[in-house]
């Protein structure tokens, strides 16, 4: 059990949540590829996203394997072989490798079990202590989801118009990238009402995503200022001030009791 726990806790909670959401997103793409009536261009675009996620999963598998205390233990007892099977790119042979995608459910089970083993207080404390790390993963996930969903929507909506200039998956992906980055070259643009509405949403999302990335980069390049350590002279001054305040409090208390020795007392 201890070895199994070691395999399940090699990464931070923020990273595990990132992989969990990415796994769910990849399963959604898998289901979308099985839907009937999907155009060839949209299926090609979804396969591009699926292969890109496979590359990320392969990197995740390599990272877990490198950090595991026992490589053989992670691969066999930690079900690393399922992680590897679920990370194999299809390269346009999705119909023959669809069953391999089901191996990604192993990631979902492992990460869900890991998160269930922690209390809500621990998770909240981890989020507060690692806000920057969570912000990076949330921003990356938001960018990936917006790129994928917007490109697929625009491609589907524009394919119904004879005047559309976005006709392939590559064109839709390029349009999504230049739109979310607020560059907007204008070489590809939607002409249908639905496509333009999608573009409007992507523009607003792009402003927030680019702003978040800029703030994260600024926080990395410009570290927070550190408070200087108090010098011995400052410590001595603070001690004198505290002693003076204590003496003043003592004298005020004596005056309130009427225990003063002054000229008025002698009279």
């Amino acid at each position: 059990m201890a070895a199994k726990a070691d395999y399940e806790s090699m990464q931070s909670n923020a990273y595990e949540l990132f992989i969990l959401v990415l796994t769910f997103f990849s399963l959604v793409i898998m289901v979308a590829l099985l839907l009937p009536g999907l155009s060839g261009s949209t299926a090609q675009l979804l396969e591009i996203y699926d292969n890109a996620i496979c590359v990320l999963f392969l990197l995740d598998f390599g990272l877990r394997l490198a950090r595991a205390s026992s490589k053989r233990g992670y691969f066999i007892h930690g079900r690393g072989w399922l992680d590897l099977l679920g990370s194999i790119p299809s390269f346009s042979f999705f119909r023959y490798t669809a069953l391999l995608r089901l191996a990604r459910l192993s990631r979902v089970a492992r990460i869900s079990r890991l998160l269930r083993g922690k209390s809500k207080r621990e998770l909240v404390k981890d989020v507060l202590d690692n806000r920057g790390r969570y912000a990076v993963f949330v921003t990356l996930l938001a960018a990936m989801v917006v790129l994928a969903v917007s490109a697929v929507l625009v491609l589907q909506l524009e394919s119904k118009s004879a005047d559309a200039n976005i006709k392939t998956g590559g064109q839709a992906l390029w349009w999504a990238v230049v739109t979310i980055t607020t560059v907007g070259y204008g070489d590809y643009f939607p002409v249908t009402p639905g496509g333009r509405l999608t573009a409007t949403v992507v523009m607003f999302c792009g402003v927030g995503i680019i702003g978040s990335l800029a703030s994260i980069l600024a926080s990395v390049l410009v570290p927070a200022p550190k408070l200087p350590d108090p010098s011995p002279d400052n410590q001595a001054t603070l001690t004198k001030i505290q002693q003076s305040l204590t003496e003043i409090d003592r004298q005020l208390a004596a005056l309130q009791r009427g225990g003063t020795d002054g000229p008025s007392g002698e009279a």
Side-chain angles (χ1 to χ4, degrees), residues 233-254:
D233 294 338
N234 293 336
Q235 288 283 8
T237 302
L238 291 175
T239 302
K240 291 181 181 179
I241 292 175
Q242 291 177 352
Q243 292 175 351
S244 300
L245 292 174
T246 302
E247 180 65 21
I248 291 173
D249 291 338
R250 188 186 64 79
Q251 292 182 3
L252 288 175

Side-chain angles (χ1 to χ4, degrees), residues 162-261:
D163 299 328
N165 56 35
I166 301 177
K167 300 179 181 180
T168 65
Q171 292 172 350
L173 182 58
W174 171 252
W175 168 85
V177 171
V178 299
T179 304
I180 199 174
T181 55
T182 67
V183 175
Y185 284 118
D187 48 355
Y188 297 106
F189 53 88
V191 296
T192 62
R196 290 176 177 176
L197 178 61
T198 303
T200 303
V201 175
V202 174
M203 292 174 195
F204 281 106
C205 293
V207 171
I209 291 172
I210 297 301
S212 299
L213 290 176
S215 62
I216 292 171
L217 182 61
S219 64
V220 172
L221 297 178
V222 183
K226 296 182 179 180
L227 295 176
D229 296 332
S231 62
D233 294 338
N234 293 336
Q235 288 283 8
T237 302
L238 291 175
T239 302
K240 291 181 181 179
I241 292 175
Q242 291 177 352
Q243 292 175 351
S244 300
L245 292 174
T246 302
E247 180 65 21
I248 291 173
D249 291 338
R250 188 186 64 79
Q251 292 182 3
L252 288 175
L255 287 173
Q256 290 177 356
R257 292 195 304 269
T260 58
D261 297 331

Side-chain angles (χ1 to χ4, degrees), residues 9-267:
S9 59
M10 290 185 292
Q11 312 297 338
S12 65
N13 290 336
Y15 179 81
E16 296 290 3
L17 286 173
F18 172 77
I19 294 297
L20 179 63
V21 176
L22 191 62
T23 304
F24 278 119
F25 186 56
S26 68
L27 294 175
V28 171
I29 293 177
M30 182 188 73
V31 174
L33 280 168
L34 298 176
L35 293 177
L38 198 67
S39 65
S41 299
T42 303
Q44 181 186 12
L45 181 60
L46 289 175
E47 289 177 0
I48 292 175
Y49 290 136
D50 182 74
N51 289 327
I53 293 176
C54 284
V55 173
L56 295 178
F57 283 159
L58 283 175
L59 293 176
D60 173 68
F61 169 77
L63 181 63
R64 293 180 188 276
L65 185 64
R67 292 189 175 184
S69 56
S70 172
K71 307 295 189 294
R72 183 175 180 272
Y74 162 68
F75 192 81
I76 298 177
H77 301 291
R79 298 180 180 178
W81 61 276
L82 287 176
D83 293 345
L84 180 60
L85 285 179
S87 305
I88 298 176
S90 61
F91 297 118
S92 300
F93 294 100
F94 179 83
R95 66 187 65 179
Y96 304 109
T97 58
L99 293 178
L100 297 180
R101 298 296 185 268
L102 296 178
R104 296 175 181 177
L105 294 174
S106 174
R107 277 188 171 92
V108 176
R110 181 181 63 244
I111 298 174
S112 299
R113 184 168 56 248
L114 174 64
L115 295 178
R116 282 199 305 267
K118 298 185 179 182
S119 63
K120 294 182 179 180
R121 179 175 299 180
E122 290 177 343
L123 291 176
V124 171
K125 184 177 183 300
D126 184 70
V127 172
L128 295 177
D129 294 341
N130 302 280
R131 292 186 296 271
R133 187 178 300 171
Y134 279 92
V136 171
F137 289 133
V138 169
T139 304
L140 291 177
L141 277 174
M144 293 175 61
V145 171
V146 171
L147 279 175
V149 174
S150 62
V152 171
L153 280 178
V154 165
L155 188 58
Q156 283 291 100
L157 294 170
E158 294 296 299
S159 61
K160 301 176 182 179
S161 175
D163 299 328
N165 56 35
I166 301 177
K167 300 179 181 180
T168 65
Q171 292 172 350
L173 182 58
W174 171 252
W175 168 85
V177 171
V178 299
T179 304
I180 199 174
T181 55
T182 67
V183 175
Y185 284 118
D187 48 355
Y188 297 106
F189 53 88
V191 296
T192 62
R196 290 176 177 176
L197 178 61
T198 303
T200 303
V201 175
V202 174
M203 292 174 195
F204 281 106
C205 293
V207 171
I209 291 172
I210 297 301
S212 299
L213 290 176
S215 62
I216 292 171
L217 182 61
S219 64
V220 172
L221 297 178
V222 183
K226 296 182 179 180
L227 295 176
D229 296 332
S231 62
D233 294 338
N234 293 336
Q235 288 283 8
T237 302
L238 291 175
T239 302
K240 291 181 181 179
I241 292 175
Q242 291 177 352
Q243 292 175 351
S244 300
L245 292 174
T246 302
E247 180 65 21
I248 291 173
D249 291 338
R250 188 186 64 79
Q251 292 182 3
L252 288 175
L255 287 173
Q256 290 177 356
R257 292 195 304 269
T260 58
D261 297 331
S264 58
E266 295 177 357

